[in-house]
Amino acid sequence: MERISISLPEKLLREFDRVLREKGYVSRSEGIRDAIRSYIIEHSHISNLPAEIAGTVSVIYDHEKSELLEKLTHTQHEFSEIIQSTLHLHLDRRNCMEVIVVRGSGSRVREFVDRVKTIKGVKFAKLTTSVPEVLS
Ligand code: NI
């Protein structure tokens, strides 16, 4: 085992601890190990997307973060060939949710999700794909 030390916002850690309690974890380290495993599995899922996919990308962000809106809009324009539609919800004073419907090349969709995730102020970005394997 290796030991690491990480910095987290207090609120995020409180929420994480709450989830761990609900799931019945007794050790925070065990919860973190499982969370890291899920993250890796999710990544390998997204890095093995089929050639053509359709799905939605849900994004939650703080719209008051400077330059976030320009970056997000710029990125969506750059990937306009895969973006079919966008739905915007104003969640509360600061947070917005955008549901972006995508369709097209799996690798382009993956690239798009990775780009959106790295925009500062984006708190959450998740791709849900429909299952074209089942349709064909
Ligand atoms: Ni909004």
Side-chain angles (χ1 to χ4, degrees):
M1 290 259 185
E2 287 200 34
R3 214 165 245 283
I4 58 164
S5 118
I6 56 171
S7 308
L8 291 177
E10 206 186 317
K11 203 178 152 204
L12 182 63
L13 184 60
R14 272 205 310 272
E15 277 295 293
F16 187 67
D17 283 341
R18 187 181 59 77
V19 172
L20 292 184
R21 275 196 307 276
E22 281 180 21
K23 287 178 171 271
Y25 281 95
V26 283
S27 127
R28 189 189 265 163
S29 287
E30 185 54 35
I32 290 171
R33 283 194 288 274
D34 280 356
I36 292 174
R37 285 186 198 106
S38 301
Y39 186 82
I40 292 170
I41 290 167
E42 190 192 332
H43 173 78
S44 64
H45 168 71
I46 202 177
S47 57
N48 287 308
L49 288 175
E52 287 290 314
I53 63 160
T56 57
V57 185
S58 301
V59 187
I60 294 176
Y61 59 86
D62 177 351
H63 78 270
E64 285 181 18
K65 272 272 187 302
S66 67
E67 292 174 41
L68 180 141
L69 287 176
E70 290 107 287
K71 282 182 184 156
L72 189 61
T73 306
H74 179 81
T75 307
Q76 293 197 47
H77 278 264
E78 223 178 292
F79 287 81
S80 60
E81 89 280 7
I82 57 161
I83 295 172
Q84 308 291 315
S85 179
T86 301
L87 175 73
H88 186 102
L89 287 86
H90 310 298
L91 292 179
D92 56 32
R93 263 178 183 281
R94 293 193 67 156
N95 294 299
C96 297
M97 177 174 179
E98 232 158 77
V99 180
I100 305 162
V101 180
V102 291
R103 182 180 193 168
S105 135
S107 61
R108 247 333 238 171
V109 169
R110 184 183 63 231
E111 212 183 312
F112 173 65
V113 178
D114 286 344
R115 282 276 289 282
V116 168
K117 275 185 182 167
T118 60
I119 297 172
K120 205 171 177 181
V122 169
K123 297 173 174 178
F124 178 87
K126 191 177 174 65
L127 170 68
T128 306
T129 55
S130 69
V131 273
E133 311 91 81
V134 174
L135 303 175
S136 59

